[in-house]
Amino acid sequence: SGENTDMVLRKLPEKNALIEFKRFSPVDFKEGEFLSPHWGAYLLLSDIDADQQVFFEDLGSEADLIKIMSESLSKSGDPMQGLYTMLFSRFEKHLKNVNTLYIAPDGFLNILPFASLKTPDGQYLTQKFTIKQLQSGRDLLDTNFDKADNTLIALGGVDYGQMPGIAPVKGDVQKSLANLNLNLRAATELDKGLKYLPHSLKEVGDIETLFKSNCKDGTARIYTDVKAGEDILKNLKKAPRILHLSTHGFFLQQSKDSQLAEEEPMVLSGL
């Protein structure tokens, strides 16, 4: 809302900026239907003397973003420059006096190594700015969370929807990606999407039953299907007594000639 935007602007220190990415579906009001997904971004500047402090840009279709990510993984040279161009180039002129850049990704952009993106002059983004990643711009607000209440929040039986695909990388090209950030490799290995886990639905149902039988004064909030999403967790006002996530985990594949074999196991895994 406008009120929240003003509050975030007031919290931005001098020479700081926030870019928050959002996946959205444009609406054709004439036909009454949603169009293919696009990606957009808001830019908030701390400079109170600027003619404008809030900007929005439509960055293009999700199909274009996936294509660029695929090309970045299948070509030698500077694989991260195309991603920088799509995600940041429209804001370059507004960031000249910025020292610290807060970035709040959305969806699969959470696994993108922003610090490794390359600008047209060959520098990494982290060489131009101090990068700080947030879940949301609201994280900059002084939110005083109340103590955990007697609540269970459980997510299971998740409808993962259509996972945006990234072209697989094969042969000699894979060797040229040896130093590419682990998070981007994760995006590649998960390109076929995530399968529905039917037993996870039963699992959260059983946990709800146990909770209600043992915590008579407690409240159980169960999220399944398309409602079991990350927004539920990002918008919590109070910490629950119990948080249960019944979902997929992954562990990146290794090969003997890969530097992955020398990485810490926890770095190679995720939810």
Side-chain angles (χ1 to χ4, degrees):
S1 67
E3 180 182 1
N4 283 339
T5 300
D6 290 339
M7 292 170 65
V8 172
L9 282 171
R10 288 196 293 268
K11 291 295 181 181
L12 279 174
E14 185 180 358
K15 294 188 177 181
N16 281 221
L18 163 70
I19 293 182
E20 183 156 354
F21 296 94
K22 286 295 178 184
R23 181 182 185 270
F24 67 97
S25 294
V27 179
D28 184 337
F29 289 99
K30 185 176 180 180
E31 299 295 331
E33 61 184 16
F34 288 100
L35 304 178
S36 58
H38 273 228
W39 281 85
Y42 289 95
L43 169 66
L44 276 63
L45 297 176
S46 63
D47 186 1
I48 60 175
D49 295 323
D51 294 334
Q52 186 175 342
Q53 286 183 272
V54 181
F55 304 84
F56 175 79
E57 291 285 350
D58 184 335
L59 305 178
S61 70
E62 183 168 88
D64 289 339
L65 178 57
I66 293 171
K67 180 181 179 182
I68 291 175
M69 292 182 74
S70 300
E71 291 175 347
S72 297
L73 289 168
S74 60
K75 292 181 179 179
S76 58
D78 294 329
M80 309 304 284
Q81 194 163 319
L83 291 171
Y84 171 85
T85 299
M86 182 170 185
L87 298 176
F88 289 94
S89 63
R90 293 171 175 82
F91 297 118
E92 274 185 340
K93 60 183 178 182
H94 306 301
L95 298 174
K96 293 179 180 179
N97 298 318
V98 170
N99 293 333
T100 299
L101 182 61
Y102 290 91
I103 299 176
D106 189 25
F108 64 79
L109 287 186
N110 278 284
I111 61 175
L112 184 68
F114 287 97
S116 299
L117 299 186
K118 271 196 173 182
T119 62
D121 60 5
Q123 286 189 304
Y124 291 105
L125 194 63
T126 192
Q127 293 177 284
K128 288 183 171 290
F129 308 103
T130 298
I131 304 295
K132 296 185 178 181
Q133 192 160 323
L134 308 171
Q135 287 189 332
S136 165
R138 291 188 299 273
D139 290 349
L140 292 171
L141 303 178
D142 292 331
T143 303
N144 295 317
F145 286 93
D146 295 332
K147 292 183 178 179
D149 57 9
N150 198 15
T151 300
L152 161 72
I153 293 181
L155 280 68
V158 182
D159 180 356
Y160 297 99
Q162 186 70 31
M163 175 73 74
I166 299 177
V169 182
K170 299 180 179 179
D172 293 338
V173 177
Q174 181 65 48
K175 295 181 181 179
S176 71
L177 302 176
N179 296 319
L180 197 58
N181 189 284
L182 291 173
N183 289 337
L184 198 52
R185 292 195 204 133
T188 307
E189 294 199 14
L190 297 176
D191 70 316
K192 294 181 180 179
L194 300 173
K195 294 181 179 179
Y196 179 72
L197 299 174
H199 294 291
S200 68
L201 180 61
K202 181 180 184 301
E203 180 179 312
V204 293
D206 291 343
I207 290 174
E208 179 184 18
T209 300
L210 286 171
F211 180 82
K212 288 181 176 180
S213 64
N214 290 279
C215 300
K216 302 297 184 183
D217 59 341
T219 301
R221 293 162 57 189
I222 309 300
Y223 298 94
T224 63
D225 201 54
V226 295
K227 293 183 179 180
E230 61 183 288
D231 288 344
I232 297 297
L233 305 180
K234 287 183 177 180
N235 291 294
L236 288 176
K237 299 301 181 185
K238 291 184 178 181
R241 181 181 178 186
I242 301 173
L243 174 63
H244 182 84
L245 306 178
S246 183
T247 183
H248 280 279
F250 70 87
F251 193 85
L252 295 184
Q253 297 177 4
Q254 302 184 47
S255 61
K256 293 182 179 179
D257 61 347
S258 170
Q259 70 173 37
L260 289 176
E262 300 177 1
E263 299 286 352
E264 292 293 332
M266 292 301 291
V267 177
L268 300 173
S269 61
L271 292 177

